[in-house]
């Protein structure tokens, strides 16, 4: 028990004077600091000049813009892939119905054929709008022109 108390008092005595977030324990050394250094107040152990912070913030902002642009492109691609899959499924079903001779088709099969044609038409229009939107988005956001090959 005595050993445990001895260790705990020894560890408490070795606590560093400066701790992040513990302002009441922070010892500010003002001797030997110039006027510019006294103006810098930071909660971190190491300080950065405001210009360095602004540069890093600008880099982060550019990176964020690139990531948002890429996310947008990937969403357009996912939507395009899903629309293509849906169109292909409907085309396959339509092809199966078209393979049946016209004289042997029931009224229900003929209606389904018309429905499929309408659905395919709507999906193709939706995909066209999606492609147009993707192109407008690509042209609207700066920084993409250099990554594309000239057409």
């Amino acid at each position: 028990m005595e050993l445990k108390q001895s260790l705990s008092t020894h560890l408490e005595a070795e606590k560093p004077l400066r701790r992040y977030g513990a302002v009441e324990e922070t010892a500010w050394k003002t001797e030997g600091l110039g006027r510019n250094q006294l103006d810098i107040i930071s909660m971190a152990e190491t300080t950065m000049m405001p210009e360095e912070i602004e540069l890093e913030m600008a880099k982060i902002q550019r990176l964020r813009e690139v990531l948002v642009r890429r996310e947008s492109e990937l969403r357009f691609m996912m939507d395009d892939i899903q629309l293509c899959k849906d169109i292909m499924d409907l085309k396959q079903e339509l092809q199966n119905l078209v393979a049946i001779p016209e004289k042997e088709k029931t009224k229900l099969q003929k209606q389904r054929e018309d429905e499929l044609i309408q659905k395919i038409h709507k999906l193709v229009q939706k995909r066209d709008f999606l492609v147009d939107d993707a192109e407008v988005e690509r042209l609207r956001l700066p920084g993409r022109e250099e990554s594309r090959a000239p057409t």
Side-chain angles (χ1 to χ4, degrees), residues 22-85:
V23 176
E24 66 276 359
E25 295 181 22
T26 302
W28 295 99
K29 298 177 185 174
T30 57
E31 306 86 42
L33 296 179
R35 176 73 181 128
N36 287 342
Q37 291 170 323
L38 287 174
D39 289 341
I40 301 170
I41 297 175
S42 176
M43 291 178 64
E45 291 288 331
T46 60
T47 58
M48 292 176 72
M49 297 300 291
E51 296 81 19
E52 294 172 317
I53 293 171
E54 288 174 4
L55 282 173
E56 189 169 341
M57 294 278 292
K59 287 178 188 175
I60 291 170
Q61 180 63 28
R62 285 191 299 273
L63 179 60
R64 188 184 80 71
E65 289 170 359
V66 168
L67 292 173
V68 166
R69 185 172 40 252
R70 184 64 179 150
E71 179 189 17
S72 178
E73 289 173 353
L74 292 173
R75 288 187 187 279
F76 279 120
M77 292 165 98
M78 285 175 51
D79 291 346
D80 183 46
I81 290 169
Q82 186 59 49
L83 283 171
C84 288
K85 283 181 181 178

